Amino acid sequence: MTEMDVRSQTAAVIPAFNDEKHIGDIVRRTRERLDHVLVIDDGSSDQTAQCAREAGAEVIVHSENRGKGEAIKTGLGHWLDQEVTWVTLLDSDGQHLPEEIDRFLSAAGSATRPTFFIGTRMNNVAGMPLIRRVVNRYMSGRISRLCGQEIPDTQCGYRMLDRQLIPELLGGSHRFDYETEVLIIASRKGYRVESVPITTVYTDQVSKIHPVRDAIRFFKLMRRYRSIGA
């Protein structure tokens, strides 16, 4: 399959929460690469939904904030019965460059087996704060062992997946730990997790991750899947 074939069969899901400052630009740049762009406004109190629509995205609005995991599941569920083969996930705050969707499309065009693509920032960590680099490597090592394959940057939300995997991903966690759970599920369903190099970008957005609360969720998730086994 050529990159052009993959492009025509790919849709984007962009979960967003109070990102009116960036979402319009992200949508416009994504639509330069993909015809189908869906924004999930996860209970924003600002003009995120309006800005996304004005930029050309289809928008689904959650009446209240449900968490990033639920926003992603809403987006994946939307594309499940549509004429698409691939779904790309990227963040709304500018940390993921829409221009680098092309790297995922190229990788998907070369795939010869069921593959889940995930961005990696670990090839060039010069712009990554030291504490984030250390935590990322620690968590990625733990998750890689649980998945049974090497995943250098498990915390990266820039991803691309086969629509056939979507039904397996509509349950589970609700918030940021969902992105970890997805990797475990894909691995246990026989998908190869392939890393795609992306640029490390940090914007003026304040992280929505709660260090203590989300760390507890992460360790609970790890314990649950270790007890389940392969």
Side-chain angles (χ1 to χ4, degrees), residues 106-127:
S106 178
S110 302
T112 58
R113 54 171 290 187
T115 307
F116 184 110
F117 299 96
I118 181 171
T120 178
R121 301 157 293 180
M122 305 309 286
N123 292 0
N124 182 4
V125 297

Side-chain angles (χ1 to χ4, degrees), residues 83-173:
E83 293 298 320
V84 300
T85 302
W86 296 92
V87 177
T88 297
L89 305 171
L90 66 157
D91 288 349
S92 60
D93 59 4
Q95 289 198 42
H96 301 151
L97 302 179
E99 293 75 19
E100 294 184 340
I101 288 173
D102 294 347
R103 300 183 182 183
F104 289 84
L105 299 176
S106 178
S110 302
T112 58
R113 54 171 290 187
T115 307
F116 184 110
F117 299 96
I118 181 171
T120 178
R121 301 157 293 180
M122 305 309 286
N123 292 0
N124 182 4
V125 297
M128 184 179 291
L130 178 60
I131 185 63
R132 186 171 295 195
R133 193 185 316 168
V134 171
V135 170
N136 194 359
R137 283 180 170 155
Y138 169 77
M139 295 177 72
S140 295
R142 296 282 301 271
I143 297 164
S144 293
R145 287 192 290 274
L146 199 55
C147 290
Q149 53 185 317
E150 183 67 24
I151 309 172
D153 191 0
T154 59
Q155 306 309 296
C156 183
Y158 207 166
R159 303 174 175 199
M160 184 170 175
L161 58 97
D162 191 316
R163 182 184 56 140
Q164 294 184 12
L165 184 59
I166 291 177
E168 307 293 339
L169 307 180
L170 297 181
S173 305

Side-chain angles (χ1 to χ4, degrees), residues 17-23 25-26 29 46 92-96 132 200-208:
F17 177 63
N18 289 340
D19 277 327
E20 65 179 5
K21 183 175 181 179
H22 300 93
I23 191 64
D25 179 57
I26 296 302
R29 289 158 60 195
D46 63 5
S92 60
D93 59 4
Q95 289 198 42
H96 301 151
R132 186 171 295 195
T200 302
V201 180
Y202 290 102
T203 68
D204 56 355
Q205 290 289 78
V206 176
S207 175
K208 301 180 180 73

Side-chain angles (χ1 to χ4, degrees), residues 20-119:
E20 65 179 5
K21 183 175 181 179
H22 300 93
I23 191 64
D25 179 57
I26 296 302
V27 167
R28 281 187 288 271
R29 289 158 60 195
T30 302
R31 291 197 73 245
E32 289 176 358
R33 275 144 183 87
L34 302 175
D35 292 333
H36 308 292
V37 178
L38 174 67
V39 170
I40 309 301
D41 180 349
D42 189 32
S44 298
S45 58
D46 63 5
Q47 299 301 309
T48 292
Q50 179 179 336
C51 293
R53 289 192 186 98
E54 290 175 352
E58 184 177 356
V59 179
I60 297 175
V61 178
H62 288 171
S63 59
E64 60 183 9
N65 181 257
R66 302 181 192 173
K68 188 178 183 181
E70 287 300 312
I72 292 173
K73 284 186 273 188
T74 294
L76 293 178
H78 175 82
W79 293 121
L80 181 58
D81 297 321
Q82 307 296 320
E83 293 298 320
V84 300
T85 302
W86 296 92
V87 177
T88 297
L89 305 171
L90 66 157
D91 288 349
S92 60
D93 59 4
Q95 289 198 42
H96 301 151
L97 302 179
E99 293 75 19
E100 294 184 340
I101 288 173
D102 294 347
R103 300 183 182 183
F104 289 84
L105 299 176
S106 178
S110 302
T112 58
R113 54 171 290 187
T115 307
F116 184 110
F117 299 96
I118 181 171

